[in-house]
Amino acid sequence: MSALVVRETNLPEVRVDFADNTLLAGIVGSTAYGLATPESDIDRLAIHATETNRLFTIQSTPPETLTGHDPDWASHDLRKACSLMFGGNPTVLEILWLDAYEVKNHFGEELIGIRDTFLSRSRVRDAYLGYATQQLKRLEERGRFQGSLDTRRPKHARHLLRLLEQGVHLYETGELRLRVENPQLLREAAEAIAANDEKGVALAHDLLKQAEEIMDNTISPLPVAFNTAPAEDLIQRVRRHYWKDLAW
């Protein structure tokens, strides 16, 4: 493991241990969106390269995703990360559009350089609207649960509004803008949606429908289909680079 003390502008200073085979790592979530509060968790996401020889042993295959706590972090193997990004997963895509990184080696730099190849019109539309719909369903679940789950309604509303804003902007411009345009206005709108059961849910439905209509009536600069060739080439070169002799 290689220890890194983060001292980049606008990033909390904290000691984080990253494996030597980490390609990219950075702070994601509410901090990246500009929606963090003093009570917010700091979430980290990384992409690593599993040592290639570990993929060809009798022993069990290493997990494609690693997780940890204090601080909270997750790291996907490069192949898994690429698969999720080609699927339009907003949570994983955002690591390629961060303003600053805690770890970035030359393979990570290459990955950022081909980020546009992971995008396509249909996947972006389906993924962002799909994830926003999931948040809407959670808003609609009020009354089915008791206790702390009900206090998460503002968070679900914030996620819904943020996904709609990011998804529409990405579909219209081809740019994934992580920081929301007006964080305070979004927080206030989310509180209003969460506090007013029927009207709030109705408003959320309207906003989701508006986003769908905007995408339906926009000629997006995004490609019709994503391009897997650059990622395939990168994965092959990373696998060759991270082959290590087995110690028997």
Side-chain angles (χ1 to χ4, degrees), residues 104-235:
K104 180 172 63 175
N105 72 5
H106 67 284
F107 288 124
E109 189 72 54
E110 282 194 56
L111 190 58
I112 295 170
I114 63 171
R115 62 189 183 185
D116 291 342
T117 65
F118 292 100
L119 304 175
S120 69
R121 297 176 190 177
S122 60
R123 290 294 173 89
V124 166
R125 185 187 189 282
D126 293 346
Y128 279 84
L129 295 181
Y131 274 72
T133 299
Q134 290 179 16
Q135 299 304 318
L136 177 55
K137 289 180 178 178
R138 290 169 179 168
L139 283 172
E140 292 176 318
E141 288 175 346
R142 181 167 186 163
R144 301 182 192 178
F145 305 102
Q146 295 180 351
S148 61
L149 285 177
D150 190 55
T151 66
R152 298 178 63 84
R153 284 173 55 80
K155 183 175 183 178
H156 296 321
R158 287 195 299 273
H159 283 318
L160 183 148
L161 296 176
R162 186 261 309 169
L163 285 162
L164 294 181
E165 179 179 319
Q166 289 179 341
V168 167
H169 185 80
L170 177 57
Y171 196 86
E172 288 184 316
T173 68
E175 172 200 9
L176 180 50
R177 185 180 63 195
L178 295 187
R179 190 173 181 85
V180 300
E181 191 169 15
N182 191 324
Q184 184 58 33
L185 184 61
L186 186 146
R187 276 193 289 263
E188 292 173 356
E191 291 289 344
I193 289 173
N196 196 335
D197 290 350
E198 293 186 5
K199 289 184 179 180
V201 169
L203 175 58
H205 274 283
D206 288 342
L207 293 173
L208 180 58
K209 184 177 180 181
Q210 288 176 26
E212 292 175 342
E213 291 175 349
I214 290 172
M215 292 185 184
D216 288 341
N217 293 287
T218 296
I219 299 177
S220 176
L222 295 173
V224 174
F226 49 71
N227 178 12
T228 61
E232 291 282 8
D233 175 70
L234 178 59
I235 291 171

Side-chain angles (χ1 to χ4, degrees), residues 6 10-12 14 16 18 25-33 35-37 39-46 67-75 91 94-95 98 100-102 152 155 158-159 162 178:
V6 182
N10 298 324
L11 295 180
V14 62
V16 184
F18 294 108
I27 295 176
V28 294
S30 59
T31 303
Y33 310 145
L35 294 172
T37 67
E39 294 75 32
S40 297
D41 294 329
I42 296 177
D43 299 312
R44 286 175 166 82
L45 183 64
T67 58
H69 299 284
D70 194 27
D72 290 332
W73 62 273
S75 183
T91 303
E94 66 187 55
I95 194 174
L98 295 178
Y101 291 90
E102 298 176 310
R152 298 178 63 84
K155 183 175 183 178
R158 287 195 299 273
H159 283 318
R162 186 261 309 169
L178 295 187

